[in-house]
């Protein structure tokens, strides 16, 4: 199953990505998490220390690998077509923590050096060709906003999870995301409410979204604030969010089964 | 004075940009606000209705204007060199609300249509050539994260205001922004703490930042949450944030005077 997580800046995309990654790993799934935000912080949300995170070679450095394996004239596409399994990729591109393997896209190393389009192209190609086993879960944490949909980075996901909070702006972004996702052929767009502080927050969000696509909520708890202060994973602090994540996983599974996407996924094996 | 506002997604960049724009306008300055986030929502933060905002022609549509005024072979640069004053630009690119003129960069109109690099180039060129009178204030609201610093969109600002909240991640982003800003020659990087819920939040942020560069704070008030729920400007709801904005303006003025940037600005006239 390939999932991407998108939404307005600061709604809690990375927190959700980290929680889902850790929770699927805990359930015995093999989890591959990809941080596709140049302002990367998925590592800390998974519980990976800054030192460990710094040791990961970003996907943007796979150029040499492509040359090595496919010949200098071939592009990344050939690399992943020839080497479509996660196990084909060298270990220096990963850090594994509690069953979650993290890859990072790469960032802006120098001011004025240009945009991160080449990095996005690489992630898109990797996503497209990567073959997963039935119980594997790939989680792609996108950058804030909508530009990644212009770049179609997540075009081959089974579901795009849009995170929203109780405000007009995140709902406007969500509507824009759903429209742009349809343009690039993403059929399954679903929603998770985040930073919920009260029942009225939840009502506000639910009223704005189709019930069928609503997968659940993450409450704004002191454990999430604490995790960000300390730079650790909210999963390790625990509390009610662990049960909330279970609900989201269950609803997502049900939704995708209904859409026939899980069956489709099984055919990849 | 040219200001840009940056920071991690969701820290409150657009809220601060809207508050500053309205406050400078209230003080009698001529204010030009530019929304340089493809996931645009500066309009609502200024208090401009969605209908009015939809009527603004984005800067990305200035291509025809460039052709018209400079001949087909010339680029945008020539357009702004020949027409360097705000008054030179046609009214269809603006909406004015309570003394604030809003321009928008442009967005991703279709999924898969590519990135917004051309739009950023245009904003960068406009920023560079725009001549302001002494009391004019230009406020550029950037996209979340750091990619705009790869594109050097804000290279010609007098100050880059980095918004931070009480968490490791927004401070990490801030450190990255300061480094990348130096690469493109932005000398004055200052900080504003946002979403402050307690004294300990404020202490947490202040401890991490150089005192001299700390311009003030915006408290997380019910008025800000309410403004986002209703899709209106926090400035119109008012409360303690109006006094907080005054402190930020005063500190910023003092900081820039000390750095000699205000004098430099006066020479533009």
């Amino acid at each position: 199953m390939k999932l991407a997580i998108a939404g307005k800046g600061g709604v809690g995309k990375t927190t959700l990505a980290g929680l889902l990654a850790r929770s699927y790993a805990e359930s015995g799934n093999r989890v591959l998490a990809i941080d596709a935000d140049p302002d990367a912080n998925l590592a800390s949300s998974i519980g990976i220390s800054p030192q460990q995170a710094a040791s990961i070679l970003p996907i943007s450095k796979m150029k040499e690998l492509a040359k090595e394996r496919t010949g200098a004239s071939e592009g990344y596409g050939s690399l992943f077509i020839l080497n479509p399994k996660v196990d084909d990729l060298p270990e220096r591109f990963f850090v594994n923590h509690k069953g979650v393997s993290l890859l990072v896209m790469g960032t802006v190393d120098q001011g004025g050096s240009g945009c991160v389009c080449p990095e996005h192209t690489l992630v898109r190609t990797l996503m497209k060709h990567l073959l997963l086993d039935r119980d594997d879960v790939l989680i792609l944490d996108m950058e804030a906003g909508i530009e990644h949909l212009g770049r179609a980075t997540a075009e081959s996901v089974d579901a795009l999870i849009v995170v929203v909070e109780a405000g007009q702006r995140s709902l406007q972004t969500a509507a824009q995301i759903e429209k742009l996702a349809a343009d690039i052929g993403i059929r399954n767009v679903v929603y998770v409410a985040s930073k919920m502080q009260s029942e009225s927050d939840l009502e506000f969000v639910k009223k704005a979204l189709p019930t069928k696509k609503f997968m659940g909520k993450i409450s704004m708890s002191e454990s999430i604030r604490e995790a960000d202060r300390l730079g650790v994973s909210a999963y390790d602090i625990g509390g009610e969010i662990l049960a909330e994540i279970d609900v989201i996983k269950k609803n997502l599974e049900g939704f995708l089964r209904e859409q026939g996407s899980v069956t489709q996924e099984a055919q990849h094996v």
Side-chain angles (χ1 to χ4, degrees), chain A:
Chain A
M1 181 170 59
K2 295 177 186 176
L3 305 173
I5 299 179
K8 185 186 167 306
V11 291
K13 288 180 294 300
T14 302
T15 298
L16 178 65
L19 287 168
L20 280 176
R22 287 289 302 277
S23 178
Y24 277 116
E26 182 100 3
S27 306
N29 301 84
R30 194 165 63 154
V31 179
L32 185 66
I34 302 182
D35 193 339
D37 184 353
D39 183 20
N41 49 39
L42 181 55
S44 74
S45 172
I46 289 168
I48 296 171
S49 72
Q51 293 73 26
Q52 268 191 296
S55 75
I56 306 172
L57 202 62
I59 301 177
S60 54
K61 305 285 188 234
M62 283 190 188
K63 217 171 199 167
E64 291 75 40
L65 187 68
K67 273 190 194 163
E68 209 175 277
R69 294 206 184 161
T70 66
S73 61
E74 302 286 333
Y76 303 124
S78 315
L79 171 68
F80 301 130
I81 291 164
L82 291 171
N83 305 271
K85 295 207 163 185
V86 178
D87 301 337
D88 295 332
L89 296 173
E91 267 188 15
R92 61 183 186 275
F93 292 104
F94 297 91
V95 157
N96 191 291
H97 180 76
K98 307 214 173 198
V100 179
S101 294
L102 174 68
L103 280 128
V104 301
M105 181 180 76
T107 185
V108 179
D109 290 323
Q110 193 172 2
S113 60
C115 67
V116 289
C117 282
E119 285 80 357
H120 275 269
T121 303
L122 195 44
V123 171
R124 188 178 67 223
T125 312
L126 175 66
M127 291 286 293
K128 198 169 162 184
H129 294 295
L130 210 57
L131 289 187
L132 300 181
D133 287 336
R134 195 198 166 91
D135 291 331
D136 291 352
V137 179
L138 185 152
I139 296 171
L140 184 64
D141 185 27
M142 307 307 301
E143 76 205 17
I146 59 169
E147 190 173 8
H148 61 85
L149 289 153
R151 292 156 163 160
T153 316
E155 63 180 359
S156 57
V157 294
D158 297 304
L160 178 67
I161 303 175
V162 185
V163 183
V164 293
E165 60 183 3
Q168 291 292 346
R169 295 187 200 151
S170 83
L171 290 170
Q172 284 159 13
T173 300
Q176 189 67 357
I177 287 174
E178 177 145 8
K179 182 210 155 290
L180 297 172
D183 290 339
I184 58 173
I186 298 178
R187 284 182 315 142
N188 300 321
V189 176
V190 297
Y191 296 92
V192 167
S194 173
K195 299 192 163 178
M196 294 293 104
Q197 295 192 27
S198 62
E199 270 307 310
S200 79
D201 274 3
L202 190 60
E203 284 315 306
F204 178 89
V205 169
K206 281 176 126 173
K207 235 175 78 182
L209 300 172
T211 309
K212 202 186 129 192
K213 295 184 166 194
F214 184 77
M215 298 295 115
K217 63 155 176 139
I218 302 285
S219 297
M220 183 70 212
S221 62
E222 197 39 53
S223 66
I224 288 184
R225 276 175 61 83
E226 186 67 10
D228 190 20
R229 267 170 182 262
L230 300 173
V232 300
S233 171
Y235 195 85
D236 289 320
I237 297 187
E240 61 178 330
I241 48 171
L242 301 190
E244 292 175 343
I245 280 289
D246 284 339
V247 171
I248 292 168
K249 282 165 67 183
K250 207 172 144 233
N251 285 338
L252 186 63
E253 201 180 302
F255 178 87
L256 289 177
R257 197 184 308 114
E258 209 169 287
Q259 303 296 315
S261 296
V262 169
T263 319
Q264 190 186 28
E265 189 55 32
Q267 294 169 350
H268 282 185
V269 185

